[in-house]
Amino acid sequence: MLNRINARIGANVCLHDLRHTLCRRLFDDPGLNLIDAQQVMRHRRITTTSDYLRPRTDEVIAKVHEHYTRPKPSPRPLTGWAYDPNDLADVLGGA
């Protein structure tokens, strides 16, 4: 069946691609964790499941874009800190 679909739409999808899609969708569900995904995927080692955690390029681009378009927080004024002008003059030089 998959071969017929591939031939019809000009794709090259295999069953393993569907496993990758399933695992990505499990990760995207906030109600599931890595152990849950491991059980569904029937991986013996958690490291095998964690290999699927690599972010997609479009996700990385979206996060970086969000970072650079987010408003910068206003600097907080220093409170409770003062300096002696004489100490500063000793460190930096001057009268």
Side-chain angles (χ1 to χ4, degrees):
M1 180 176 77
L2 195 53
N3 289 337
R4 287 193 311 264
I5 293 170
N6 279 333
R8 189 168 195 176
I9 65 172
N12 189 24
V13 176
C14 68
L15 287 176
H16 198 76
D17 294 330
L18 300 178
R19 281 183 59 83
H20 279 263
T21 301
L22 167 65
C23 201
R24 288 294 313 179
R25 288 186 178 182
L26 293 172
F27 290 150
D28 291 342
D29 185 335
L32 298 173
N33 60 36
L34 186 60
I35 304 299
D36 298 328
Q38 177 191 14
Q39 294 301 310
V40 171
M41 300 300 292
R42 298 182 56 92
H43 290 150
R44 181 175 294 154
R45 294 179 188 84
I46 196 70
T47 54
T48 304
T49 309
S50 67
D51 285 344
Y52 289 83
L53 285 172
R54 280 177 257 151
R56 296 187 319 247
T57 303
D58 59 325
E59 292 172 334
V60 173
I61 291 170
K63 287 180 182 178
V64 170
H65 177 72
E66 178 191 343
H67 169 76
Y68 282 109
T69 57
R70 187 180 310 135
K72 303 273 187 266
S74 301
R76 293 179 291 158
L78 296 174
T79 58
W81 182 80
Y83 65 92
D84 182 346
N86 294 326
D87 291 339
L88 192 58
D90 286 344
V91 172
L92 300 177

